[in-house]
Amino acid sequence: MEIFLIKMLQFILAISLLVLLHEGGHFFFSKLFGVRVEKFYLFFDPSIGKWKGSLFKWKPKKSDTTYGIGWLPLGGYCKISGMIDESFDTEQMKQPEQPWEFRTKPAWQRLLIMIGGVLVNFLLALFIYSMVLYTWGDEYIAVKDMTMGMKFNQEAKNYGFRDGDILLGTEKGDFKDFSADLFRDISEAKQARIIRAGQPMTLNLPGDINLLGMLKSTPNFCRPFIPAEIDSVLPNSPAAKAGIRKGDKLLAINGTAVDSWNEFTEQTGRLADQMTVAANEADSLRLRTAVVVFQHATPDTQHQEADTATVVLTPELQLGVGMTSLLNYYQPTKVSYGFFESLPAGVKYGWNVLGGYVGDLKYLFTSDGAKSLGGFGAIGSLFPPVWDWHMFWLMTAFLSIILAFMNILPIPALDGGHVLFLIYEMVTGRKPSENFMIRAEYVGFGILILLMVVANLNDILRWLGYM
């Protein structure tokens, strides 16, 4: 419960900040051009009976704007006079045009008002990335330094990769760290540069490997080789009862040889699949009972170099050991940035994030891509289980990039839909009719509701174990 609350608080804080600044962009340009803003709200405030839906509202003297906080934490809005938006205030549009209304302003001013939110979110993301680099720098384990190489699945081996290969890069450039960018580069590459048994080699690739399949396959297309060495042992755990100690190395589980944590997690993953069809407690106990072969780091007179033990894994199929990580074997690369150095570095970082996100959208129109859609639960789960300001700001910047891009899509009811109609007006000299704009707003709003339902339904199905 504590982890859920920490993630939820981080999510709400990040979204609140992004929504306030996004709507603040619309607000700034509206005020700049003399357009009246009737309401500026964080969260939505749909009325329930006689209750108007506001948790808090305030209207300064001599101001035309009411500021408030709604009860429904799904975003926020800036209600601009004389504009057809999600409020569907058609009565206002029937009144004579007023000089302070959005509809009476030149098209170029209305365009700036509409892109104000997207512009703020995009610039905010670049600024956050810059300040993260300035404050914490960039620390990572370079792929070229992973001298034990990678483990590859069968698909990767069909393309010519072999366990132990050290990845260097593709014709697009050198790999940096083990991240989604590495998979993305391999999926689009015609050639991959590697080191095998100490010798540089080049592998030919098709250039169109399915990225989503690479990431979703079990095991993954590739992952760093991490020896199956015990970093720690929990007291009274199955491992402790079997005599396994810190520094020991796993050799096999249930007769299957294990030389890395990759194989161990694959085996426990297979057990988890079988557990889903366990008919009773006896079946569950049988599946959880495993034969483990391990080797002591410092054999003594009481132990052989390799011991065999029968253990009963926990209901979550845990052995009760801490796994070693890449940091146990490799020295991370640390890059520090001065203030002025961090600005172009942050822009480059943010632009790379945006490019990767936009490039991956093509998978949205596949069946696996549609299943990968996530709603509020999926987004909230991206935040760390402990409060970490470094990760919080990285996630906030990432969400700001997404919010900017999604809002500029040419869908009615989004900023991009209004921008599309404004560009049409500027090119043709003809303004779309109000009836058309109202119908388009309804269609766009319906599309957004449908996407939201599908995304959050996916979250529920994943939580229930059906996806």
Side-chain angles (χ1 to χ4, degrees), residues 39 93 99 225 230 297 420:
K39 297 176 73 174
M93 304 304 292
F225 176 87
I230 309 299
L420 178 66

Side-chain angles (χ1 to χ4, degrees), residues 48-126:
I48 301 177
K50 295 182 179 180
W51 185 47
K52 297 303 181 182
S54 298
L55 298 178
F56 163 82
K57 63 179 180 179
W58 172 63
K59 187 175 183 179
K61 291 182 179 179
K62 300 181 180 179
S63 174
D64 300 311
T65 307
T66 299
Y67 303 87
I69 300 176
W71 65 270
L72 188 61
L74 296 180
Y77 68 96
C78 176
K79 190 175 187 310
I80 299 172
S81 293
M83 175 183 168
I84 299 171
D85 59 12
E86 63 272 13
S87 67
F88 299 109
D89 187 1
T90 56
E91 289 302 316
Q92 184 184 72
M93 304 304 292
K94 295 176 182 177
Q95 304 301 317
E97 294 183 354
Q98 302 297 331
W100 62 78
E101 290 186 329
F102 176 84
R103 55 181 167 170
T104 63
K105 300 299 178 180
W108 68 270
Q109 292 185 3
R110 285 180 278 136
L111 181 64
L112 286 174
I113 291 172
M114 292 317 307
I115 66 172
V118 168
L119 183 63
V120 166
N121 280 133
F122 183 64
L123 294 178
L124 174 67
L126 300 183

Side-chain angles (χ1 to χ4, degrees), residues 217-245:
S217 60
T218 304
N220 287 152
F221 188 89
C222 68
R223 59 267 191 236
F225 176 87
I226 303 176
E229 296 176 343
I230 309 299
D231 186 61
S232 60
V233 180
L234 294 176
N236 301 316
S237 64
K241 294 175 182 177
I244 297 175
R245 301 172 300 198

Side-chain angles (χ1 to χ4, degrees), residues 5-169:
L5 289 175
I6 291 173
K7 288 189 173 188
M8 182 183 70
L9 287 173
Q10 291 179 92
F11 173 66
I12 291 176
L13 178 59
I15 290 298
S16 299
L17 175 65
L18 297 180
V19 168
L20 277 174
L21 293 175
H22 177 92
E23 300 303 333
H26 296 308
F27 183 90
F28 171 78
F29 283 105
S30 295
K31 291 295 186 181
L32 181 65
F33 299 130
V35 175
R36 181 176 295 176
V37 177
E38 299 175 10
K39 297 176 73 174
F40 185 89
Y41 261 64
L42 174 64
F43 305 151
F44 293 118
D45 60 331
S47 301
I48 301 177
K50 295 182 179 180
W51 185 47
K52 297 303 181 182
S54 298
L55 298 178
F56 163 82
K57 63 179 180 179
W58 172 63
K59 187 175 183 179
K61 291 182 179 179
K62 300 181 180 179
S63 174
D64 300 311
T65 307
T66 299
Y67 303 87
I69 300 176
W71 65 270
L72 188 61
L74 296 180
Y77 68 96
C78 176
K79 190 175 187 310
I80 299 172
S81 293
M83 175 183 168
I84 299 171
D85 59 12
E86 63 272 13
S87 67
F88 299 109
D89 187 1
T90 56
E91 289 302 316
Q92 184 184 72
M93 304 304 292
K94 295 176 182 177
Q95 304 301 317
E97 294 183 354
Q98 302 297 331
W100 62 78
E101 290 186 329
F102 176 84
R103 55 181 167 170
T104 63
K105 300 299 178 180
W108 68 270
Q109 292 185 3
R110 285 180 278 136
L111 181 64
L112 286 174
I113 291 172
M114 292 317 307
I115 66 172
V118 168
L119 183 63
V120 166
N121 280 133
F122 183 64
L123 294 178
L124 174 67
L126 300 183
F127 177 75
I128 291 176
Y129 281 132
S130 298
M131 292 303 96
V132 166
L133 292 176
Y134 172 67
T135 305
W136 288 281
D138 192 10
E139 185 171 333
Y140 60 92
I141 297 175
V143 176
K144 65 179 178 60
D145 293 338
M146 297 180 188
T147 53
M148 290 184 289
M150 297 278 169
K151 297 286 289 187
F152 297 90
N153 68 7
Q154 190 55 52
E155 180 190 9
K157 291 176 180 177
N158 291 340
Y159 291 118
F161 292 102
R162 296 292 178 266
D163 288 342
D165 287 350
I166 301 172
L167 299 177
L168 299 179

